[in-house]
Amino acid sequence: MSTQHDHNLPNPYADGPPPQIDLLSTVTGVPQIHEQAEAMTIHVTLPPGSPGAPPHRHSGPAYGYVLKGEIVFELEGEPERVVKAGETFWEPGGDVIHYQDGNHLIDGESQFVVTMFCVPGQPMLIPVSAEELAERKSRRAPRP
């Protein structure tokens, strides 16, 4: 598969200027999604200091974009990182634990949108128990 993406095509039916299209990020090695996957896009608003969702999984891949502020993002096996407004994040879903998606700002709101591809009949977020977190502790990247 090529990484060359031509999204700005001439439009012979347009009278005005063409759209400006900027590639924000790409992901390779995207896992196959369920044949009847449900795609959903959600908008999340995190108040100042919000820890976000508890550790969880998604049944399929998720791709997000931070609209405002900064979020702390952490997946199993990767160090936590701060994703700022205008940046994207990705997770493969499945067995990978999503540890953090909280607001990095204590004095301002943060917002992001995320599109998730879920297995039919499964919830969007699948909580992870404290026991499983303890069992998988060695898979979590070192804490700062």
Side-chain angles (χ1 to χ4, degrees):
M1 177 168 69
S2 170
T3 56
Q4 179 65 29
H5 302 284
D6 191 7
H7 296 285
N8 203 356
L9 303 174
N11 184 349
Y13 311 105
D15 292 331
Q20 178 178 334
I21 299 173
D22 299 311
L23 181 63
L24 299 176
S25 67
T26 60
V27 176
T28 58
V30 176
Q32 187 171 9
I33 61 173
H34 189 277
E35 184 178 308
Q36 298 296 318
E38 177 183 7
M40 62 180 76
T41 302
I42 62 170
H43 177 256
V44 178
T45 300
L46 298 167
S50 173
H56 60 275
R57 290 187 175 87
H58 299 284
S59 59
Y63 201 71
Y65 179 81
V66 178
L67 298 167
K68 177 182 176 183
E70 303 176 354
I71 65 167
V72 178
F73 185 79
E74 181 188 3
L75 291 180
E76 188 170 56
E78 298 179 8
E80 70 178 43
R81 64 188 175 100
V82 175
V83 185
K84 298 179 180 183
E87 297 177 346
T88 63
F89 56 92
W90 153 259
E91 60 182 286
D95 190 45
V96 177
I97 295 174
H98 181 171
Y99 285 101
Q100 295 186 71
D101 61 4
N103 191 347
H104 187 244
L105 305 177
I106 58 170
D107 59 352
E109 184 178 88
S110 291
Q111 297 179 16
F112 62 91
V113 294
V114 62
T115 299
M116 295 169 282
F117 298 88
C118 301
V119 173
Q122 289 194 14
M124 175 178 60
L125 298 176
I126 302 164
V128 178
S129 70
E131 294 79 24
E132 185 176 5
L133 289 173
E135 289 170 9
R136 294 173 73 130
K137 187 176 181 178
S138 66
R139 298 183 190 191
R140 193 170 187 182
R143 311 295 302 137

